[in-house]
């Protein structure tokens, strides 16, 4: 079986077949039996996570997942029947990936999530061989063991976050924000927020009355802008002339707000 798959696979390359999902090969007797009794339509390959069987007219046909993906189940994957190997539990002790990786710039396989060579806060998302840079939100770091952004404490090779490089213990201002800042403790940043009516004074690194913090004074005449406006302008890297937008009047609750785009300054 191994030899047979290797043969069809190289043949597919020779023929320049981009869509390897169409690769077909004869299946072993067990697979044929499963298809004959009509109980299954699609089932995993015995040896390889990235191949699977499909029963077509009672016959078991070997199908191939896109390069880097593994069989997840009928229409259960990210890409129809296939998904990231770590999401389907591959390798699992008995099955491994059977294809060779088709690598391109920043992509070890054509599909997958891969670490950045030099950054702990960024990673690559590869789709059909095209890499797109991704940025972990807040103070999270990319953890290749789980293929996701994670707390710095869990990322062995990136114990210290770049935000806290110069100030491992203390406040680090966030550009364009008067009220939010990073508090670094032992090299780990946590997003903080000044109490209502206060703004971070970047000279003293303390939250002080907004009226006394240059660039953060509330405007005297216009109605106080909503706090979300501050977040939006914080997320615009080419924001307005006033890099320290007016501060909220404090009517809004001060809770931590994780879901906005204003925190894209991580690891810059
Ligand atoms: C993958 O990219 C190639 C060319 O780079 C293209 O011909 C092919 O259609 C793409 N396949 C998918 C599934 O998007």
């Amino acid at each position: 079986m191994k030899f047979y798959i290797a043969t069809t696979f190289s043949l597919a390359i020779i023929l320049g077949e981009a869509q390897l999902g169409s690769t077909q090969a004869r299946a072993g007797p067990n697979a044929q039996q499963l298809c004959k009794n009509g109980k299954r339509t699609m089932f995993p390959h015995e040896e390889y996570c990235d191949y699977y069987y499909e029963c077509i007219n009672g016959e078991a046909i070997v199908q191939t997942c896109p390069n880097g993906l593994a069989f997840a189940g009928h229409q259960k994957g990210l890409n129809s029947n296939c998904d990231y190997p770590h999401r389907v539990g591959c390798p699992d002790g008995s099955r491994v990936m059977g294809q060779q990786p088709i690598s391109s710039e920043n992509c070890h396989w054509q599909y997958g999530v891969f670490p950045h060579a030099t950054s702990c806060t960024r990673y690559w998302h590869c789709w059909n061989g095209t890499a797109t840079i991704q940025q972990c939100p807040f103070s999270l770091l990319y953890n290749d063991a789980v293929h996701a952004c994670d707390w710095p404490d869990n990322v062995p090779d990136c114990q210290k976050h770049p935000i806290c490089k110069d100030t491992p213990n203390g406040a680090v201002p966030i550009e364009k924000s008067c009220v939010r800042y990073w508090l670094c403790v032992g090299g780990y940043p946590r997003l903080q927020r000044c109490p209502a009516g206060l703004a971070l004074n970047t000279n003293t690194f303390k939250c002080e009355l907004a009226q006394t913090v240059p660039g953060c004074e509330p405007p005297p005449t216009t109605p106080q802008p909503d706090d979300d406006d501050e977040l939006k302008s914080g997320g615009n890297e080419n924001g307005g002339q006033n890099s320290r937008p007016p501060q909220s009047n404090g009517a809004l609750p001060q809770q931590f707000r994780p879901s906005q785009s204003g925190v894209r300054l991580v690891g810059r």
Side-chain angles (χ1 to χ4, degrees):
M1 177 51 68
K2 201 175 229 156
F3 172 73
Y4 196 80
I5 281 172
T7 309
T8 48
F9 184 66
S10 19
L11 191 64
I13 288 173
I14 290 162
L15 297 175
E17 258 187 52
Q19 185 49 278
L20 294 174
S22 62
T23 302
Q24 298 193 347
R26 198 135 31 85
N30 288 345
Q32 291 301 0
Q33 197 53 49
L34 279 168
C35 279
K36 266 208 191 70
N37 63 30
K39 293 209 173 111
R40 311 283 290 271
T41 54
M42 245 176 226
F43 51 98
H45 192 273
E46 308 89 333
E47 289 178 77
Y48 302 113
C49 308
D50 48 350
Y51 295 93
Y52 58 97
Y53 292 110
E54 184 174 5
C55 299
I56 298 174
N57 299 326
E59 195 190 342
I61 305 290
V62 176
Q63 302 286 15
T64 310
C65 283
N67 189 256
L69 300 182
F71 180 62
H74 183 228
Q75 295 298 327
K76 282 189 182 154
L78 198 64
N79 187 333
S80 71
N81 309 320
C82 303
D83 209 323
Y84 296 132
H86 63 267
R87 294 221 297 211
V88 303
C90 175
D92 64 2
S94 62
R95 298 188 315 141
V96 294
M97 296 291 275
Q99 299 175 51
Q100 289 302 308
I102 299 175
S103 304
S104 57
E105 198 178 358
N106 301 314
C107 299
H108 183 48
W109 299 77
Q110 280 188 317
Y111 291 82
V113 175
F114 304 106
H116 192 282
T118 56
S119 170
C120 284
T121 61
R122 292 158 192 240
Y123 60 99
W124 295 103
H125 178 257
C126 292
W127 193 260
N128 195 21
T130 300
T132 310
I133 192 100
Q134 306 289 315
Q135 173 81 56
C136 289
F138 316 115
S139 57
L140 303 185
L141 301 176
Y142 178 74
N143 184 353
D144 198 44
V146 295
H147 303 269
C149 298
D150 201 353
W151 293 111
D153 323 39
N154 297 332
V155 188
D157 300 329
C158 296
Q159 283 297 309
K160 304 292 180 237
H161 194 281
I163 287 176
C164 299
K165 187 162 61 73
D166 299 327
T167 312
N169 294 289
V172 176
I174 293 176
E175 201 185 334
K176 300 189 182 101
S177 179
C178 281
V179 294
R180 291 171 304 134
Y181 60 97
W182 298 107
L183 181 66
C184 293
V185 178
Y188 301 144
R190 296 288 183 260
L191 191 60
Q192 303 290 316
R193 193 178 178 82
C194 288
L198 306 188
L200 184 73
N201 184 329
T202 53
N203 294 318
T204 62
F205 290 105
K206 288 197 173 89
C207 293
E208 298 175 358
L209 267 180
Q211 286 88 333
T212 68
V213 178
C216 293
E217 305 91 343
T221 49
T222 51
Q224 300 288 339
D226 183 82
D227 191 54
D228 284 335
D229 292 336
E230 184 267 319
L231 292 173
K232 271 177 213 137
S233 62
N236 181 357
E237 282 168 353
N238 304 316
Q241 309 301 333
N242 182 6
S243 65
R244 302 264 284 172
Q247 120 98 16
S248 129
N249 67 358
L252 293 161
Q254 298 162 28
Q255 79 268 30
F256 176 79
R257 294 182 177 201
S259 60
Q260 27 69 21
S261 59
V263 198
R264 273 193 289 138
L265 303 162
V266 184
R268 263 210 326 204

